[in-house]
DNA sequence: ATGTGATTTGTACTATCGTACAAAAGATCA
DNA sequence: TGATCTTTTGTACGATAGTACAAATCACAT
């Protein structure tokens, strides 16, 4: 007995469910979790508030489903790009390729693309800032593997830099990445219109170039982090 | 007629007002604006909910007062440090001093210190992520001058780098700074306990060193940002 | 001591929150 | 067509939100 894919076991009318997910993603990403009500989401999706409860049971459940929808494909894409990057021979080129593999999927603009997309990355940034519990749990258990893989890859291409420094610098990378997606207008404002903070290609190039240089910075001596030669010499 | 400073025109009992401000700052910085209720703040400060209304009128007014309290002193401190940094002769040392002047006040741990402090910086990070309107307004009109001063100073010490690139990189710096204060535990986790993400001195050194290197990265050619030499060929 | 203005308390009001649930509507197949 | 299941709607409930306000309390000058 062959079941038709259109009827029972999947949703009969997936449009509304998808519309709610998209609306919630957009609203959460721009306003935070607590500032957005279920009614706001329903209205933005052209649905009834009760429909949200029907599909996702709770507001937390809705957020959880957004994460479930994106995490897998995004990590897969990153893994593919990372594997390709690791095959680059030249160490400097490899480093740049690795950084690019980390950054590019986060900036994908496609709405339903497997890359995850800028909107989902921005959502993660906002949830992380709000200390959202649901997000914190799913992030730690989903992204840490990927993060370790990237850190290891970077470490391989920069053997003389201690792992600790690489962790810090990749942390800075993620922070810069998040912030670029959260307030792109600030770049436009501070550059007096000369740069478009909202242009993904621009942001990616700037971020990759700056980050590669940051990774290549000399290692910090662990023992005495406070005493550094540079600033003490002439003034201060 | 000489008025005594202790009585009428100031608050008679500033303790409670200060306690409310401190509690609100702490709660907003860790949970976001909307997740924290006036009653939560009052309870944390050992005060009555009505007391918050009395001193600050509205919840927005409370947030506004927190910003008013910190912005002035923090920018003053940064200006002092920046002025000192600009007097450094060696260009590389000067760059490091400038970055340090930007970073250090943001990490100050003192509770009522003029530096502004890590808690206030974290608050700004969270408000920025939430797209808080009150914060957005006061930030744009208070911090942009300082940001421009730093950008100009960095530009002076790196004349061959276009201003646009410097804007981007200082944007990344702020993002990294924010993120380090928002989720310091992530550093500890990813480094498997080898680094303490919560240690301000450590974070400052790592951030300064990585950022100086990022600023010193070669300039991006504005015309063709997509085509870069590094990744296409085998060597640089 | 007492009056006076500044603060704190207690409480209440209205709005909105997340969620539940019964009824209506739509779809699918015998 | 009618039976049955899924989805959508409409509405309601209890909890909690921000804020207002009168009464109580406090600190201090006279």
């Amino acid at each position: 007995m062959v079941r038709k894919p259109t009827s029972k076991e999947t949703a009969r009318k997936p449009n509304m469910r998808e519309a709610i997910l998209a609306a919630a993603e957009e609203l959460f990403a721009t306003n935070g979790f607590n500032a957005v009500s279920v009614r706001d989401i329903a209205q933005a999706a052209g649905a009834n508030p009760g429909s949200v409860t029907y599909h996702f049971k709770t507001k937390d459940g809705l957020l959880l489903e957004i994460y479930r929808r994106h995490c897998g494909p995004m990590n897969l894409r990153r893994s593919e790009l990372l594997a390709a990057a690791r095959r680059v021979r030249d160490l400097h080129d490899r480093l740049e390729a690795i950084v690019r593999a980390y950054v590019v999927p986060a900036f994908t603009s496609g709405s339903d693309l497997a890359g995850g997309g800028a909107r989902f990355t921005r959502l993660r940034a906002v949830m992380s800032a709000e200390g959202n519990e649901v997000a914190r749990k799913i992030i730690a258990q989903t992204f840490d593997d990927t993060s370790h893989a990237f850190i290891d890859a970077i470490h391989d291409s920069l053997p003389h830099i201690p792992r600790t420094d690489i962790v810090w610098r990749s942390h800075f990378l993620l922070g810069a990445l998040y912030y670029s997606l959260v307030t792109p207008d600030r770049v436009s404002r501070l550059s007096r219109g000369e740069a478009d903070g909202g242009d993904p290609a621009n942001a990616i190039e700037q971020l990759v170039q700056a980050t590669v240089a940051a990774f290549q910075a000399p290692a910090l001596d662990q023992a005495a982090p406070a005493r550094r030669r540079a600033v003490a010499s002439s003034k201060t």
Side-chain angles (χ1 to χ4, degrees), chain A residues 1-11:
Chain A
M1 200 227 277
V2 178
R3 313 188 207 158
K4 298 186 182 175
T6 47
S7 70
K8 288 191 182 170
E9 70 270 21
T10 65

Side-chain angles (χ1 to χ4, degrees), chain A residues 215-229:
Chain A
F215 275 123
Q216 288 171 330
L220 260 74
D221 31 335
Q222 314 281 85
R227 158 182 45 84
R228 289 203 48 80
R229 49 141 184 71

Side-chain angles (χ1 to χ4, degrees), chain A residues 7-212:
Chain A
S7 70
K8 288 191 182 170
E9 70 270 21
T10 65
R12 198 186 310 187
K13 227 185 173 183
N15 310 336
M16 190 51 83
R17 195 185 140 95
E18 293 302 316
I20 292 171
L21 276 170
E25 199 177 307
E26 176 69 24
L27 287 171
F28 286 157
T30 49
N31 301 105
F33 184 76
N34 295 285
V36 177
S37 72
V38 174
R39 287 168 175 84
D40 290 338
I41 296 166
Q43 185 168 21
N48 191 283
S51 224
V52 178
T53 307
Y54 171 72
H55 284 290
F56 308 100
K57 202 65 190 173
T58 67
K59 197 182 170 190
D60 277 357
L62 176 53
L63 182 63
L64 201 70
E65 181 57 28
I66 293 174
Y67 272 83
R68 256 204 288 267
R69 181 67 56 102
H70 282 293
C71 283
M74 179 157 189
N75 275 325
L76 193 67
R77 180 99 188 93
R78 270 186 170 162
S79 296
E80 292 168 2
L81 291 174
L82 179 59
R86 294 197 83 140
R87 286 193 290 271
V88 174
R89 289 295 243 293
D90 178 82
L91 281 188
H92 177 275
D93 290 355
R94 191 199 298 171
L95 175 61
E96 177 170 334
I98 293 169
V99 171
R100 208 174 286 273
Y102 187 79
V103 168
V104 166
F107 274 95
T108 309
S109 61
S111 53
D112 55 346
L113 260 178
R119 215 173 48 194
F120 177 58
T121 308
R122 177 169 177 171
L123 175 69
R124 280 162 49 211
V126 176
M127 293 304 119
S128 139
E130 283 189 319
N132 185 287
E133 265 306 297
V134 176
R136 206 186 52 77
K137 270 181 201 156
I138 201 168
I139 278 296
Q141 77 185 35
T142 311
F143 278 87
D144 275 14
D145 286 348
T146 309
S147 297
H148 275 124
F150 272 92
I151 288 166
D152 291 343
I154 293 168
H155 195 24
D156 285 350
S157 77
L158 290 169
H160 58 291
I161 306 287
R163 227 190 99 98
T164 308
D165 292 13
I166 294 182
V167 169
W168 272 107
R169 291 166 191 178
S170 67
H171 191 67
F172 298 150
L173 164 58
L174 186 54
L177 174 56
Y178 277 172
Y179 195 51
S180 299
L181 287 168
V182 167
T183 59
D185 50 290
R186 185 174 172 272
V187 174
S188 309
R189 204 172 67 236
L190 286 180
S191 71
R192 302 188 181 103
E194 280 183 50
D196 178 12
D199 176 28
N202 208 344
I204 288 174
E205 288 314 310
Q206 290 282 357
L207 185 54
V208 167
Q209 226 49 35
T211 302
V212 166

